[in-house]
Amino acid sequence: MSRLILILGDQLSDTIAALQEAEKSSDIVVMAEVADEASYVPHHRKKIAFLFAAMRKFAKRLQDDGWQVAYTKLDDPENTGSIPGELIRRAEEFSAREILATELGEWRLIEALATCPIPVRQLEDARFIATHAEFETWAEGRNELRMEWFYRDMRRKTGLLMEGDKPVGEKWNYDHENRKSPPKSAQFAPPLRFAPDAITQEVLDLVATRFPDNFGTLDPFWFATTPEDARAQLDHWVAHNLPGFGDYQDAMMTGERFLNHSILSLYLNAGLLDPLEVCRAVETAWKADAAPLNATEGFIRQIIGWREYIRGIYFLEGPDYTSRNALNHSRKLPAFYWGAETKMHCLSETVAQTREEAYAHHIQRLMVTGNFALLAGIDPGEVHEWYLAVYADAYEWVEAPNTIGMSQFADGGIVGSKPYVSSGAYIDRMSNYCKSCAYKVKDKTGPEACPFNLLYWHFLNRHRDRFASNPRMGNMYRTWDRMDEDRRETVLSDADSWLKRLDQGEVV
Ligand code: FAD
Ligand code: DLZ
Ligand code: SF4
């Protein structure tokens, strides 16, 4: 009796649990490009093309290795349009009575699969360092789920950057060395660009035809779509950009889209790279004196700390997490998030890059698009759907805690102890955006005042009841309270009129 082995678009790893347990001689691997997955949000066209090309190449590798793979292309006339539909169809075709799956990364799909009439056995996803049970045990009984404490456990568990039970260099975290402003001259090696082969080109044509109105340009398409090419990007980045990773991790520069960032998240999340393998490559470079400790620790923390912690939160908090709205924000997402004109250079630059690359780095996501949405009181559900759609690395398990939690404070403070809000001064310090902006970052009120300056105080003022007693925000409220009353009134009325113009659809 054959079984079906389900492999999803973000499970493209040779070591994925369901394949490890499968019998090559009798089981059938099921992979499917389906309308449901391609449309639960209006994904960026590069994201769809990346996944379909990587899926097709993964299926071919398995076939070349002797597996029987039932692969459904999007335009197959028999395609039922959903993962459960494809499983039912393939179960009939192959008389299969059981499905073996690796646990899925989204509650929506977990719930859909639960309705499948054929028994599904789900295996834990061993690509992650912490199991669900470990995260639950760590979280149990704690008042605050701070990443830093969890991260230390992951260092101990993996042995990365450890000397016995002590961190190398005697410090766990070198973040305070990682916040330099952008350098005067560029010194970054751009990510490797992989020319589309015949399989990728066929997918690009398909996506161009089937998703003509989705956000995002398809050309040039340069993502890696195989583990070998993803590994080449890792090696290239370690050799050229890892040494400066820590220093400029928070910097933003007009025209410099990637800086020292690794551009590995899309490969990690789809399964083309293994997180531990990536961390070991980085640790090896440090051991060979090819990278400083602040960069090495900073990067490893992102993967075994943040990435694992964020996943733990998603599964701990449950299916209602994405609908949380602790601050009761309800404004509609402005059209400039989808490319309409705005006079705010930081936003137009970040969105233009997002449209062309399906990529923006962490500080652009957190302190430009995220910061603006939070200050302006945008509905966090709409913000969440935008992030889930526009980035090539976005799957709900990783996107939602970053957006709903870290960026929008809509979970009421589970991921962050205070909201990530800033005035224009932060963006000015960490970028060169303000130099090319129609607004003046130094203006706090008046027609040319940077909107971040106005909205920052507006946000603090309207959420005073919630945040004034937060010890990490006391200084902000003291500064606000020290301003004379006329000035505070002017700030608030300028912010209200700016928001009114935004709501009326003016170019702001
Ligand atoms: P680098 O800067 O080179 O970092 C190295 C790696 O660390 C990344 O590849 C990633 O795997 C990991 N990492 C770093 N920070 C985080 C984090 N906060 N959460 C999880 N992993 C992290 N990341 C995603 O992978 N998918 C998302 O959908 C996603 N949505 C986000 C939404 C918002 C609002 C914010 C603020 C952040 C989001 N992030 C998301 C986290 C982070 O922005 C990206 O992981 C990072 O920008 C990817 O680029 P990179 O590979 O060049 O990362
Ligand atoms: C994101 C995505 C897209 C666009 N298309 C598919 C698809 O056609 N088939 C598939 O198996 N997976 C796809 N994915 C990834 C899934 O949405 C992802 O596996 C779930 O959201 C769980 O993380
Ligand atoms: Fe952004 Fe304000 Fe700077 Fe303009 S002045 S780029 S709106 S922070």
Side-chain angles (χ1 to χ4, degrees), residues 171-331:
K171 264 189 347 191
W172 291 99
N173 185 316
Y174 290 79
D175 211 20
H176 67 279
E177 293 173 27
N178 288 352
R179 289 182 185 143
K180 293 197 179 140
S181 305
K184 290 271 174 298
S185 57
Q187 45 191 282
F188 312 107
L192 290 182
R193 300 172 91 85
F194 301 91
D197 60 9
I199 295 179
T200 304
Q201 193 53 57
E202 191 178 275
V203 165
L204 288 169
D205 295 341
L206 171 78
V207 174
T209 313
R210 288 289 298 268
F211 304 94
D213 300 324
N214 282 37
F215 178 76
T217 53
L218 267 177
D219 297 319
F221 184 90
W222 53 265
F223 292 150
T225 49
T226 63
E228 292 75 16
D229 286 350
R231 177 72 208 203
Q233 165 60 17
L234 167 63
D235 295 342
H236 163 82
W237 174 78
V238 168
H240 299 286
N241 288 341
L242 168 62
F245 176 76
D247 294 349
Y248 301 120
Q249 208 178 323
D250 288 5
M252 300 176 277
M253 287 171 81
T254 302
E256 272 291 342
R257 296 177 165 182
F258 308 107
L259 296 112
N260 275 101
H261 292 277
S262 65
I263 330 300
L264 293 176
S265 52
L266 77 167
Y267 308 137
L268 282 162
N269 297 349
L272 300 184
L273 285 177
D274 178 68
L276 216 44
E277 177 196 339
V278 168
C279 291
R280 300 251 182 258
V282 169
E283 188 189 42
T284 302
W286 167 73
K287 282 184 177 158
D289 283 335
L293 187 54
N294 71 314
T296 308
E297 187 280 319
F299 184 82
I300 287 177
R301 176 162 22 92
Q302 304 307 314
I303 306 262
I304 68 169
W306 279 112
R307 187 170 184 270
E308 293 284 328
Y309 165 86
I310 283 288
R311 175 175 183 262
I313 296 284
Y314 180 74
F315 285 107
L316 190 71
E317 289 300 311
D320 78 313
Y321 189 75
T322 54
S323 53
R324 296 193 195 167
N325 189 355
L327 302 181
N328 287 321
H329 282 170
S330 59
R331 181 165 270 110

Side-chain angles (χ1 to χ4, degrees), residues 343-347 423-425 427-428 433-435 437-441 450-452:
K343 293 194 279 181
M344 293 177 283
H345 183 63
C346 51
L347 271 152
S423 67
I427 296 177
D428 191 33
Y433 290 152
C434 302
K435 290 189 177 65
C437 187
Y439 292 106
K440 294 200 172 112
V441 72
C450 164
F452 284 83

Side-chain angles (χ1 to χ4, degrees), residues 8-10 32-34 37-38 40 43 47-48 51-52 55 83 105-106 108-109 395:
L8 293 167
D10 55 354
E33 299 165 10
V34 291
E37 295 311 300
Y40 57 83
H43 300 284
K47 177 183 181 185
I48 304 175
L51 267 192
F52 285 5
M55 284 171 71
I83 296 294
E106 195 181 331
R108 171 191 58 82
L109 204 52
Y395 305 90

